[in-house]
Amino acid sequence: MGIRGFERRLERLVEGTFARVFRSGLKPVELGRRLTREMDTNRSVGVNGEAVSPNHFVVELAADDAEQFSEVSESLRRELADAAREHARDEGYGFLGPVAVDFVVGPKLKTGSFRIAASLREGEGGLSPGSLVLPDGQRMVLGEAIVTVGRLAECTLMLEDRNVSRNHAEIQPFGTGFKLVDLGSTNGSRVNGERVAERQLRDGDLVEFGAMTIRFEAS
């Protein structure tokens, strides 16, 4: 499912920017297919017996290809990371840390060819991966630092919503994962529609602050 979703998202791009960029004939979906194959080939078994997949990928490109799509590399990096997350969910893989994709130039590679190196990397402080996906699709990767939520400008996640308190809630490291802690806000915080004072977050949880709904992903 992950690679199919990746292909669908690329459909609206390959006739435009990506089509111009990959004049060598290298197709972005080829990178996605190879990346998911590397996940399958290099998966391991974690201490709890679950399958653990590589979460860090270095994509090595020929110099001409790297130069041609440099203007859209951030978009492609996000799409590849999302494809990895979806593939992991479909296959039941876990990650040791956040998913990351880097592009480098391979001076000996011919135009149109590429290599992908996949490895397992622990998250900051040994934490399991976690991120907040905002309504506009932006992703906030969680780490050891506490994420503060509220209307104050100094909050990590500042929300301009009168239904959100000035200091509304925090998302804190908890064990090897993360938890939501409401700070006594006026209108409360909700997880999957239920008002909570404190709740450990699990993959796919929908967290509500005022009118904003944010998805927590453990990857």
Side-chain angles (χ1 to χ4, degrees):
M1 184 65 178
I3 190 60
R4 291 196 293 274
F6 175 71
E7 290 176 342
R8 287 196 297 272
R9 289 194 297 271
L10 285 177
E11 284 178 356
R12 64 181 182 273
L13 298 173
V14 292
E15 297 302 326
T17 302
F18 283 164
R20 294 195 305 272
V21 165
F22 287 85
R23 293 191 297 272
S24 69
L26 177 62
K27 295 181 174 61
V29 73
E30 294 175 24
L31 303 180
R33 290 193 181 110
R34 178 75 64 80
L35 185 145
T36 54
R37 284 204 303 271
E38 291 294 328
M39 293 174 66
D40 295 336
T41 301
N42 294 290
R43 67 185 186 276
S44 183
V45 179
V47 294
N48 59 359
E50 73 167 353
V52 178
S53 166
N55 58 301
H56 187 265
F57 306 92
V58 177
V59 181
E60 190 176 359
L61 298 165
D64 287 346
D65 287 323
E67 181 179 357
Q68 286 175 21
F69 79 76
S70 60
E71 63 187 271
V72 294
S73 60
E74 286 302 319
S75 297
L76 185 54
R77 183 181 287 112
R78 287 194 299 270
E79 293 289 354
L80 288 169
D82 284 343
R85 295 183 186 99
E86 290 180 16
H87 186 65
R89 291 192 188 95
D90 292 342
E91 299 299 323
Y93 299 157
F95 292 124
L96 295 180
V99 177
V101 179
D102 294 323
F103 291 109
V104 299
V105 174
K108 296 184 179 180
L109 288 179
K110 295 180 180 180
T111 301
S113 61
F114 66 94
R115 288 194 289 256
I116 296 181
S119 60
L120 290 82
R121 291 195 180 182
E122 280 194 344
E124 181 183 3
L127 289 171
S128 296
S131 56
L132 303 177
V133 182
L134 307 183
D136 62 0
Q138 291 188 64
R139 183 178 295 270
M140 179 182 292
V141 177
L142 302 175
E144 290 189 298
I146 292 175
V147 172
T148 56
V149 182
R151 293 204 325 271
L152 291 177
E154 55 264 32
C155 287
T156 314
L157 183 57
M158 195 272 283
L159 304 178
E160 295 181 348
D161 182 341
R162 299 303 299 179
N163 292 313
V164 173
S165 297
R166 290 161 61 84
N167 288 298
H168 193 100
E170 291 181 347
I171 296 174
Q172 306 172 356
F174 178 69
T176 59
F178 301 90
K179 67 178 179 179
L180 167 69
V181 178
D182 187 83
L183 299 178
S185 64
T186 301
N187 294 306
S189 303
R190 289 174 169 78
V191 177
N192 301 325
E194 178 185 352
R195 184 163 177 166
V196 299
E198 185 172 313
R199 173 73 61 84
Q200 183 172 3
L201 296 175
R202 303 187 183 282
D203 186 49
D205 279 348
L206 298 179
V207 183
E208 299 173 50
F209 306 114
M212 178 174 280
T213 300
I214 299 169
R215 186 172 73 255
F216 171 78
E217 292 189 355
S219 58

